[in-house]
């Protein structure tokens, strides 16, 4: 569903991940009055349009079972004029059978975080993280919840990409990944950040390993990148024109362009308590900044072959590290170009290269047999 409202019950989190950029130990918790304001705001904001609510954080389970019992009922009953879906991103530490049963009633898929084997995970995220997350994972699964993990690759864990890939494959886990970003809350912001060129090489490595092991593992990023090229438009938040379709509501009801900006006063677009219109959100300082970035991408990337399904990457990655100044597109642009070009080259080779495993010659020199499987990812249901 393109219209997406992210609800951030709190920016607090019990974990102390080394590269975290979003937690705040002093964060308040969202009140039920704020949830009611969300419902009232949406009665007139894009009425009738399907919407996905994602609970994010910080750690959303800090809000507790009672919060979700009431909030999910309010959101469901208050938006009956439209199709509604829910999702949650949590480290699972605070998952209980009671919370799991509440979430299962609303068929809420769970995203969590796991950086690979226990020793890598706990070094990067904090001692004991792995066991706490896996305990919550078992409770979630026992109560019928679907759980997928996001793996953050850092400047350290990139050295162990083979061990990480094998861990996810051997344990029957879907692999979804993202690169560690410079932490805006750290005195050493770049310590764990993954270099964009290394990220591009990692994506190609994962493409190779995925194609070698089709049927044994699902690598969501590769599926989505292939789908971007096949459909000609972005299919995941990093590669879509998310402005005007995605909003985040912080613990106090403040509205932001995305959950990544929550807690940063300069990016507040309004507050649900005043039920702002789309025009009012777009006319805010943050709204105007997002529109300027969109126009910048249209100009800066106009000659890029990938503009239609990349859109300059993530606006947060491009803007936040420079205190709201537009100095370029997402710094991972070099990685995106690398993997998109690799997929297109392999797709062309499969479609127009040799139709058998025999070598075919076009002009001087032999052409190797096409690598297998890329087209099956293009047509794969996600």
């Amino acid at each position: 569903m393109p219209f997406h409202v992210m609800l951030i019950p709190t920016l607090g989190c019990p974990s102390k991940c080394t590269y975290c950029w979003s937690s705040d130990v002093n964060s308040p918790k969202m009140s039920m009055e704020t949830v009611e304001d969300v419902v009232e705001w949406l009665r007139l904001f894009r009425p009738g349009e399907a919407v996905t609510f994602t609970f994010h954080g910080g750690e959303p389970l800090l809000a507790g079972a009672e919060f979700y019992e009431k909030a999910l009922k309010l959101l469901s009953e208050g938006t009956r004029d439209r199709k509604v879906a829910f999702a949650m991103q949590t480290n699972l530490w605070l998952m209980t059978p009671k919370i799991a049963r509440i979430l299962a009633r609303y068929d809420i898929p769970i995203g969590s975080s796991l950086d690979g084997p226990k020793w890598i995970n706990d070094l990067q995220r904090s001692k004991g993280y792995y066991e706490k997350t896996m305990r919550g994972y078992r409770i979630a699964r026992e109560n019928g919840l679907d759980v997928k993990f996001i793996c953050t690759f850092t400047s350290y864990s990139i050295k162990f990409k083979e061990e990480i890939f094998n861990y996810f494959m051997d344990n029957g886990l879907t692999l979804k990944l993202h690169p560690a970003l410079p932490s805006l809350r750290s005195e050493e912001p770049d310590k764990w950040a993954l270099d964009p060129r290394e990220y591009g090489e990692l994506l190609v490595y994962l493409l190779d390993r995925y194609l070698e092991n089709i049927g044994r593992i699902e690598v969501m990023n590769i599926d989505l990148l292939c789908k971007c090229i096949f459909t000609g438009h972005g299919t995941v938040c990093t590669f879509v024109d998310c402005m005007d379709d995605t909003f985040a509501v912080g613990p106090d009801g403040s509205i932001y362009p995305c959950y990544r900006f929550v807690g940063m006063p300069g990016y507040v677009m309004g507050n649900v308590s005043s039920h702002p219109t789309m025009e009012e959100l777009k006319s805010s300082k943050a709204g105007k900044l997002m529109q300027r970035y969109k126009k910048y991408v249209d100009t800066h990337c106009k000659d890029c072959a990938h503009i239609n399904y990349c859109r300059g990457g993530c606006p947060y990655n491009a803007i936040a590290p420079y205190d709201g100044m537009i100095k370029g597109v997402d710094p991972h642009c070099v990685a995106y170009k690398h993997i998109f070009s690799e997929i297109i080259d392999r797709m062309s080779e499969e479609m127009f290269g040799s139709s058998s495993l025999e070598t075919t010659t076009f002009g001087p020199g032999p052409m190797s047999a096409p690598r297998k499987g890329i087209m099956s990812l293009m047509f794969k249901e996600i």
Side-chain angles (χ1 to χ4, degrees):
M1 299 182 187
F3 181 29
H4 192 186
V5 177
M6 310 183 86
L7 302 177
I8 317 301
T10 179
L11 284 173
C13 181
S15 180
K16 304 294 180 186
C17 297
T18 54
Y19 48 78
C20 182
W21 45 265
S22 64
S23 66
D24 181 358
V25 295
N26 298 313
S27 172
K29 293 181 182 179
M30 183 178 287
S31 68
M32 205 49 56
E33 288 74 18
T34 297
V35 178
E36 291 171 352
D37 285 335
V38 170
V39 172
E40 290 303 313
W41 170 50
L42 292 180
R43 287 191 195 280
L44 297 176
F45 190 84
R46 298 171 69 155
E49 188 169 344
V51 60
T52 297
F53 293 104
T54 297
F55 295 97
H56 216 295
E59 175 45 57
L61 290 185
L62 280 170
E66 183 179 355
F67 173 86
Y68 288 103
E69 186 83 68
K70 294 180 179 179
L72 288 166
K73 183 177 181 181
L74 274 172
L75 293 167
S76 296
E77 294 182 353
T79 53
R80 285 179 173 171
D81 64 322
R82 61 179 88 206
K83 183 179 179 182
V84 174
F86 296 101
M88 178 180 284
Q89 182 69 29
T90 166
N91 64 23
L92 292 171
W93 288 18
L94 302 176
M95 182 63 73
T96 64
K98 182 177 181 179
I99 294 177
R101 288 193 294 270
I102 294 170
L103 302 182
R105 287 206 302 268
Y106 294 89
D107 194 26
I108 298 180
I110 302 295
S112 192
S113 298
L114 205 62
D115 290 353
K118 180 179 177 179
W119 66 274
I120 293 177
N121 190 85
D122 285 11
L123 185 150
Q124 294 192 162
R125 289 189 168 269
S126 65
K127 186 177 180 180
Y129 188 109
Y130 183 91
E131 293 297 340
K132 293 173 185 176
T133 293
M134 295 310 291
R135 173 188 167 277
Y137 172 70
R138 289 189 291 271
I139 292 173
R141 296 292 295 144
E142 287 166 0
N143 286 276
L145 293 173
D146 179 38
V147 182
K148 288 183 171 63
F149 290 104
I150 293 176
C151 175
T152 299
F153 277 86
T154 68
S155 57
Y156 174 78
S157 66
I158 186 71
K159 305 167 189 174
F160 306 99
K161 59 181 183 285
E162 182 175 1
E163 290 92 332
I164 293 171
F165 180 89
N166 290 340
Y167 170 84
F168 277 85
M169 182 169 66
D170 294 344
N171 287 278
L173 301 174
T174 296
L175 176 56
K176 184 178 181 182
L177 66 137
H178 66 67
L181 302 168
S183 174
L184 301 184
R185 300 177 187 272
S186 171
E187 295 180 357
E188 298 180 275
D190 296 316
K191 179 178 179 180
W192 296 90
L194 184 62
D195 177 80
R197 293 190 182 278
E198 283 192 293
Y199 181 39
E201 292 166 2
L202 171 65
L203 289 171
V204 173
Y205 168 81
L206 292 173
L207 173 61
D208 284 333
R209 292 298 310 275
Y210 192 15
L211 292 176
E212 292 168 2
N213 294 279
I214 288 178
R216 297 183 62 197
I217 188 172
E218 179 182 3
V219 184
M220 286 186 66
N221 300 66
I222 302 302
D223 286 337
L224 292 166
L225 291 167
C226 289
K227 194 65 70 175
C228 284
I229 292 170
F230 184 70
T231 62
H233 60 79
T235 56
V236 66
C237 74
T238 303
F239 306 117
V240 294
D241 195 352
C242 59
M243 292 160 227
D244 305 337
D245 282 327
T246 296
F247 299 95
V249 179
D252 64 351
S254 294
I255 302 171
Y256 301 82
C258 172
Y259 83 97
R260 287 182 164 183
F261 294 104
V262 174
M264 302 173 73
Y267 296 94
V268 174
M269 305 176 77
N271 194 288
V272 291
S273 62
S274 60
H275 311 153
T277 64
M278 178 67 83
E279 289 69 28
E280 289 171 331
L281 294 177
K282 291 174 73 171
S283 65
S284 67
K285 182 179 177 180
K288 291 177 180 178
L289 176 62
M290 294 298 111
Q291 295 303 317
R292 288 203 302 275
Y293 178 73
K294 183 175 181 177
K295 291 179 181 178
Y296 177 84
V297 170
D298 287 337
T299 302
H300 182 83
C301 304
K302 64 180 181 180
D303 296 324
C304 179
H306 312 298
I307 184 173
N308 289 336
Y309 46 79
C310 177
R311 296 300 306 161
C314 176
Y316 173 89
N317 292 356
I319 296 172
Y322 303 107
D323 295 324
M325 292 184 288
I326 300 173
K327 292 189 173 183
V329 295
D330 185 335
H332 289 111
C333 171
V334 62
Y336 306 150
K337 285 182 177 179
H338 191 170
I339 187 62
F340 281 134
S341 296
E342 186 73 21
I343 291 171
I344 290 172
D345 287 347
R346 296 188 186 200
M347 179 180 69
S348 298
E349 186 178 329
E350 261 187 48
M351 292 178 68
F352 306 114
S354 172
S355 59
S356 69
L357 294 180
E358 296 178 358
T359 299
T360 302
T361 301
F362 293 90
M367 184 180 117
S368 61
R371 286 161 284 200
K372 297 184 293 184
I374 196 81
M375 290 306 296
S376 65
L377 300 182
M378 296 285 182
F379 293 101
K380 182 179 177 183
E381 290 188 16
I382 301 175

